[in-house]
Every structure is written in C-alpha cells, then in structure tokens.
Amino acid sequence: MKKTHYDTSKWKEHPLNPKECNASTVDWIFLVDLLNFSFWSEIDIDDTGVPHPDRYRVTFHGVGYTGYWSMVAAINRALEEGIPITTPAFFASEERLPDKEIERIFRSDTKEQVPLLQDRIRVIREAGRVLVEKFDGNFANVIAQADRSALKLVELVTSNFTSFRDEADFCGRKVQIFKRAQILVADLWACFQNESYGEFKDIDEITMFADYRVPQALYHFHCLQYSPDLLAILDRGEMLPNGSPLEVEIRGNSIWAVELIRKRILELIKKEQEDVQEKAEKEGGAGEEGEKKPKMMTVNAILIDFFIWDFAKAAQLDLTLGQRPVKVHRTRSVFY
C-alpha cells in the first residue's frame, strides 16, 4: 500500500467509475451497489486470471468485462444508449422499464447469462419503490438523514431496503455483516473524497466487505487458515448455503483478519514516524520552524479491503507463495 500510495484517489482511476461528483453520481453508486452481488461463474470453475471464454461478459468501449465490472459496464452501456437506468423513479416502474428491457440491459456477449437475473429485477423494483414512496425518489435524501454518520447511513439502508439486510443466525446470535450497505457508504466516501455526499465523521467504523473474493486473498496472504475438510469442500466446488455455519465463519473471520491487519499497519506507521522524529532530533532539532511533518498515511478497513480486492482481481492469485491457491467459496445470495 505504501509503494503504490494507495488511497481513495485509486477509486476514480478505474475506467468504468465516474470521474465527476454530483447528485447523478450518487444515483449511479446506489444502483451499482444495489446490484453488487453474486458474480462468480458456474462455467469458470478454475477461476484463473484468464476468464473462461463462455463466462458472462459485457463489452463496453471495446473492452470485455467479467465479474463485478461486467455489471458496471452494462449500466454504463445503458446510460450511453439513453436509458436513465440510474433514476429511481424510472427503474421502479414496470411500465417505463419492463422486465424484458432489464434483461436486455444486462445482456451477455457470451453463452453464460448474468447470475440471479430475477433477483436483480426484484431488488431493483423494491429499491425504486422505497425511494419514490419514502425519500422523494432520491437517495441523496437518505444520505441527508444520516447527518454525516456512516453507521447511521448503514442503519437507514438496511432498515429500509431488505436486499441490504445481510444478517445470519450463528450459535444463537444474530450476526449483521451488511456487506453491500457498507460498501455503498465506502464508495460514496471514496468517490467524493470525504466531502459533500461522501463526508462521514465516523468512516473508520466501517468494516471490510465480506464477500467471496477477499477471503480467498486473505488465505493467500496467510491471514486465514482453513481446515482440511473446508479446503476439500471448496476444491470440490460444493455450495455453501447463505447463513450456514461455514459460510458465516469464513465471512466473520475475514472481517476480524482485516481489523488485525489494520491494527498492525497503524503500529508500523507509528513506529516509522517515531523513527523519523528521533532521526531529526539527532541531526540537529526538529527542523525549520513551521516545517510540516510528513502526512500520515490513511488506513482503515475500507482501503485495506479495496487494496486486497484489487490485488485478488489483478493477480487472480497466480502468485501462490508456495501453496496451491484456494478456490472461492460458492454461495448464491443477493447479499454479496
């Protein structure tokens, strides 16, 4: 992260992400994170750095995209075609946006079609109706009610939109993982650089976004260990039902692993700053009066998650650090 100067500016560097920050961008981010779930392929079993030729793919501006970016490409393609797909009043209406048109918007360039199409249509309709009926058709009004609190916005989103209510029962306790609700907050924060619609006074309270890709990378980095039985299940490609003990354990331990990583990184940063200060004092004082101290690197669970996810997608775990790469866990769910 230090070598790449990894910070929120990386968010806008992807060619599919918006470069402007305004109310329309808020609508775009909401729809993207509304549909940010379940992109692993039934065909691409090996899940290597080179996608299977039949895997669901969307071509936009001459580039073919798979996984999460295929959905983003489909939305951007629709906008270029003059379809106001990110407008809540539009996607709430079956008359203005029939199911068949949604299917066409997410059309594939390959044999495999977008996973969970009917579920995507359902969550689009529900979210559109809620925004129109309760928030004047504008997600910016939800943000306003949160009063610059990331946790309050997560609460508003999960209490009003059922598809964001990512919860499970584990050993008699309710576990609230809230992957998509938190990444919605994170995307607003990163896009708007902690200003305007993305300003949050408690952004560091957000945890990582427990999906299927980041746990794979955490295993790769030796931050998680899997039992032989679990490794065998993953290797066979068996489904783990949403809410099942193994699935909740993978996601919960991933959250805690990132918290431990953050704690260690902050310790390292503090030690480096102390060393710099000690060196300066030995060399003849703290420097010129008014001299600025080096800017401290921002580190929270969001940036660590973004970094690990980007690494996992770019490298697709081809560099195995002496071990056979583990497969992602296979769970079909609207929650991630």
Side-chain angles (χ1 to χ4, degrees):
M1 292 179 75
K2 277 180 59 181
K3 288 178 180 177
T4 59
H5 303 286
Y6 202 87
D7 57 24
T8 53
S9 66
K10 299 295 181 184
W11 193 92
K12 288 184 180 177
E13 289 182 5
H14 196 282
L16 295 182
N17 280 342
K19 304 302 180 281
E20 296 183 358
C21 296
N22 50 41
S24 296
T25 314
V26 171
D27 290 337
W28 185 94
I29 290 173
F30 178 76
L31 182 64
V32 164
D33 286 321
L34 178 67
L35 297 174
N36 184 358
F37 57 83
S38 203
F39 296 106
W40 58 266
S41 171
E42 301 278 0
I43 293 175
D44 205 353
I45 304 298
D46 292 333
D47 194 32
T48 63
V50 180
H52 189 284
D54 289 333
R55 180 173 182 165
Y56 176 66
R57 184 175 69 240
V58 173
T59 300
F60 182 66
H61 290 177
V63 179
Y65 295 94
T66 60
Y68 163 78
W69 294 113
S70 63
M71 179 268 297
V72 179
I75 289 173
N76 288 354
R77 180 176 63 185
L79 289 170
E80 280 205 356
E81 292 173 351
I83 303 168
I85 182 64
T86 58
T87 303
F90 178 76
F91 61 72
S93 170
E94 292 186 39
E95 290 185 3
R96 298 177 65 187
L97 182 65
D99 289 358
K100 278 292 184 184
E101 179 64 359
I102 296 177
E103 183 177 355
R104 192 192 72 82
I105 286 170
F106 292 102
R107 64 193 181 275
S108 177
D109 297 331
T110 63
K111 179 180 178 181
E112 188 178 38
Q113 299 303 304
V114 63
L116 300 182
L117 174 63
Q118 293 307 312
D119 288 293
R120 295 181 196 278
I121 293 173
R122 175 177 58 81
V123 302
I124 284 173
R125 299 296 189 210
E126 182 218 28
R129 285 193 295 269
V130 170
L131 286 173
V132 169
E133 294 169 6
K134 299 178 69 173
F135 299 100
D136 197 27
N138 193 338
F139 187 71
N141 291 332
V142 185
I143 297 173
Q145 287 191 21
D147 191 26
R148 297 189 301 113
S149 169
L151 293 183
K152 179 63 176 176
L153 185 53
V154 169
E155 178 188 343
L156 284 166
V157 169
T158 55
S159 61
N160 284 283
F161 305 93
T162 61
S163 72
F164 284 93
R165 210 168 295 158
D166 180 8
E167 301 174 334
D169 291 320
F170 185 78
C171 297
R173 296 178 60 183
K174 180 186 285 187
V175 178
Q176 297 172 313
I177 298 176
F178 294 163
K179 180 258 183 177
R180 288 197 295 110
Q182 292 196 98
I183 203 169
L184 170 57
V185 173
D187 282 342
L188 289 166
W189 174 71
C191 176
F192 287 89
Q193 299 282 287
N194 200 31
E195 296 179 355
S196 182
Y197 296 109
E199 181 184 1
F200 299 105
K201 57 193 175 186
D202 55 351
I203 193 64
D204 289 348
E205 297 300 316
I206 296 297
T207 69
M208 64 83 77
F209 322 117
D211 60 0
Y212 48 86
R213 185 64 69 189
V214 174
Q216 181 192 39
L218 289 170
Y219 177 89
H220 167 75
F221 283 129
H222 301 283
C223 298
L224 292 178
Q225 288 183 323
Y226 289 171
S227 70
D229 288 344
L230 177 54
L231 285 171
I233 288 170
L234 299 179
D235 197 50
R236 291 193 298 267
E238 293 183 17
M239 295 286 287
L240 293 181
N242 181 228
S244 63
L246 279 177
E247 186 243 13
V248 177
E249 287 181 21
I250 291 172
R251 300 180 76 198
N253 279 288
S254 297
I255 292 170
W256 186 236
V258 169
E259 290 302 311
L260 294 175
I261 291 169
R262 174 171 70 160
K263 180 181 178 182
R264 181 59 180 147
I265 290 175
L266 291 174
E267 289 172 351
L268 292 170
I269 290 173
K270 182 179 178 183
K271 179 66 168 59
E272 286 184 357
Q273 289 195 321
E274 289 173 348
D275 291 345
V276 169
Q277 181 68 21
E278 183 180 351
K279 182 180 178 182
E281 290 173 356
K282 286 181 177 179
E283 292 178 352
E288 298 287 335
E289 185 177 348
E291 183 179 331
K292 292 183 179 179
K293 293 182 179 179
K295 183 180 178 182
M296 186 172 179
M297 179 180 173
T298 299
V299 177
N300 56 27
I302 295 171
L303 286 175
I304 295 171
D305 181 290
F306 282 175
F307 178 83
I308 293 174
W309 192 88
D310 285 348
F311 167 85
K313 290 300 293 180
Q316 210 75 351
L317 307 188
D318 286 337
L319 303 174
T320 61
L321 297 180
Q323 65 176 330
R324 183 166 59 90
V326 67
K327 293 182 179 179
V328 298
H329 70 274
R330 295 161 67 87
T331 300
R332 279 289 181 222
S333 169
V334 299
F335 297 128
Y336 69 101

